[in-house]
Amino acid sequence: MAALSIRGLSKRFARLEVLKNIDIDIESGEFTVLVGPSGCGKSTLLNIVAGLERASAGTVEIGGRMVNDIEPKDRDIAMVFQSYALYPSMSVRQNITFGMECRHVPKPQQDAAVAHVARLLQIEPLLERRPSQLSGGQRQRVAMGRALVRDPLLFLFDEPLSNLDAKLRVEMRMEIKRLHQRIGATIVYVTHDQIEAMTMATRIAVMYQGEVQQFADPDTIYRYPANLFVARFMGSPPMNTMPARLVAEDGAPQVVIGAGRPDEVRLRLRGYDAAAAFLGREVVLGIRPECIAESGRVFGDTSEAPIVVHAPVEMIEPTGAETVVLLRLGGEPVLARISPDIRPKPGALTAFALDTRRICLFDPKTERLIA
């Protein structure tokens, strides 16, 4: 039985349809991330699951029970908000136990629950402090502790790290992932940050304009994006996409970038049988920046030599761990990720190795993945 099952869910605000026929099943113990740009409907979907908004159509089931008409307090969920939502006049201990007191949980049970989550979240020294005496990360731990003491069927996180600085966000991301591994809870987590989604999720629902574009594990989302939106949204830097033409030469498919230009690039493809119907037609080629590297790079465990192309460099961005290069491939702007100790000069014609095993091809009309 799925911990959360959403069927045919739609939401309208007057004439504006913000969610369109959403179908999702989340299994018990999964860490599912809803990711997408601002305004895509992910927070509205979470609010409907929580009972803070009503769906215009469709059903929501939690633990096999339909909850459309059930009050939020009776849905067996716990929610962690972006703003922490702590009571400023109460101590950390009182913030954590407040919900239990409202449910008339016996005092010994409250004390045991507080001791357990305080140890789990490493906030034992903070229990008598007020929220104003805590850092952002500590407040977020307290908000998580308040949710954990409920031991619900479902945890809902609504962009809980967006108020934190970059360093603290990385630390808290690891804390939440470690917590999930320890307690095996079912979590639905909303974020607009695709790095959070990739590093934390067991499965990701990529949303855009009120629809789920793809629902899969992070590796599938990254390597085989369902359409151009997913390809361009997931990844930092995102996938390079460019117009190209698929042709056959000596019985093998080739993709041509900048056809007819003096600097056109031809790439031989292997294992792209699904693209046979597009021979002689325009396609959109997608290739990740890490699949374009300095000449001499060996990609993975393969005896096949990578294709080497010469391309003009427009700009470089040293990041410490790597150098990101903006170059032109068949006249199209492309980002590459090369070793940090290599700094090609802007304007120079430079050799780059391409891993064509990881190329994606998209239909330019439907924008869906071909192969």
Side-chain angles (χ1 to χ4, degrees):
M1 183 196 304
L4 174 65
S5 182
I6 298 171
R7 286 283 173 272
L9 192 108
S10 298
K11 177 64 179 178
R12 293 180 183 84
F13 293 103
R15 293 184 180 181
L16 179 64
E17 191 174 26
V18 294
L19 292 175
K20 306 168 187 175
N21 200 33
I22 305 290
D23 287 310
I24 290 177
D25 282 321
I26 296 171
E27 300 302 320
S28 180
E30 274 198 298
F31 194 130
T32 300
V33 174
L34 308 179
V35 66
S38 297
C40 71
K42 55 190 184 295
S43 289
T44 301
L45 178 56
L46 197 77
N47 287 338
I48 290 173
V49 173
L52 305 177
E53 292 277 0
R54 288 186 67 86
S56 302
T59 61
V60 177
E61 291 185 4
I62 297 175
R65 179 181 64 148
M66 195 169 81
V67 297
N68 288 50
D69 298 319
I70 294 176
E71 290 296 314
K73 65 184 178 65
D74 298 320
R75 293 194 178 199
D76 202 7
I77 60 168
M79 195 160 183
V80 179
F81 296 93
Q82 175 182 347
S83 60
Y84 318 134
L86 301 177
Y87 297 105
S89 60
M90 294 183 182
S91 67
V92 167
R93 183 188 300 277
Q94 290 168 328
N95 267 280
I96 293 173
T97 60
F98 182 74
M100 291 189 285
E101 288 177 2
C102 292
R103 297 192 303 276
H104 306 293
V105 175
K107 190 70 165 62
Q109 224 173 300
Q110 291 184 32
D111 292 340
V114 170
H116 174 67
V117 299
R119 187 166 58 252
L120 200 63
L121 297 169
Q122 300 177 4
I123 56 173
E124 292 161 297
L126 311 178
L127 290 175
E128 306 312 321
R129 293 189 193 178
R130 299 282 176 89
S132 60
Q133 299 171 302
L134 306 178
S135 68
Q138 289 169 336
R139 291 181 198 181
Q140 195 56 270
R141 283 192 178 92
V142 176
M144 288 165 57
R146 186 175 54 191
L148 285 170
V149 292
R150 295 199 60 179
D151 191 24
L153 278 175
L154 196 60
F155 287 93
L156 307 178
F157 286 76
D158 189 9
E159 303 208 43
L161 308 184
S162 59
N163 287 338
L164 307 180
D165 62 53
K167 181 176 181 294
L168 195 51
R169 198 157 56 239
V170 171
E171 291 174 2
M172 286 302 300
R173 193 167 72 206
M174 294 176 67
E175 282 289 334
I176 294 172
K177 188 169 183 177
R178 193 179 295 123
L179 181 67
H180 175 254
Q181 290 171 345
R182 282 203 297 260
I183 65 177
T186 307
I187 295 175
V188 182
Y189 185 106
V190 164
T191 183
H192 61 272
D193 186 335
Q194 35 85 15
I195 297 298
E196 276 183 32
M198 289 294 297
T199 55
M200 298 173 77
T202 52
R203 281 198 295 172
I204 299 171
V206 184
M207 296 185 65
Y208 180 57
Q209 293 184 341
E211 296 179 294
V212 174
Q213 304 294 313
Q214 189 171 6
F215 186 36
D217 63 272
D219 191 55
T220 299
I221 295 271
Y222 192 76
R223 296 190 65 174
Y224 307 104
N227 55 40
L228 281 173
F229 172 78
V230 178
R232 291 166 176 163
F233 185 77
M234 300 301 291
S236 182
M239 179 180 279
N240 297 297
T241 57
M242 64 207 84
R245 187 172 183 83
L246 196 62
V247 300
E249 190 166 305
D250 299 329
Q254 285 191 354
V255 64
V256 184
I257 307 165
R261 291 173 54 99
D263 58 350
E264 79 168 21
V265 174
R266 289 176 172 259
L267 304 175
R268 181 181 289 268
L269 303 177
R270 298 180 188 275
Y272 283 80
D273 298 338
F278 282 79
L279 284 173
R281 293 168 57 183
E282 302 300 314
V283 295
V284 176
L285 180 148
I287 185 168
R288 292 284 179 193
E290 61 270 22
C291 296
I292 307 172
E294 66 276 8
S295 179
R297 171 82 67 88
V298 176
F299 295 101
D301 184 17
T302 177
S303 57
E304 187 178 326
I307 291 175
V308 176
V309 298
H310 290 80
V313 171
E314 289 198 354
M315 185 178 69
I316 67 167
E317 289 186 338
T319 66
E322 64 191 5
T323 299
V324 177
V325 180
L326 175 63
L327 57 102
R328 290 274 171 177
L329 208 58
E332 298 293 332
V334 171
L335 291 176
R337 300 168 81 162
I338 66 175
S339 298
D341 52 340
I342 297 177
R343 304 284 174 87
K345 292 184 178 180
L349 197 65
T350 306
F352 294 92
L354 271 65
D355 184 2
T356 56
R357 301 169 307 159
R358 300 279 296 275
I359 280 176
C360 291
L361 299 176
F362 300 90
D363 184 334
K365 292 182 179 177
T366 66
E367 297 194 349
R368 298 200 65 80
L369 180 69
I370 301 167

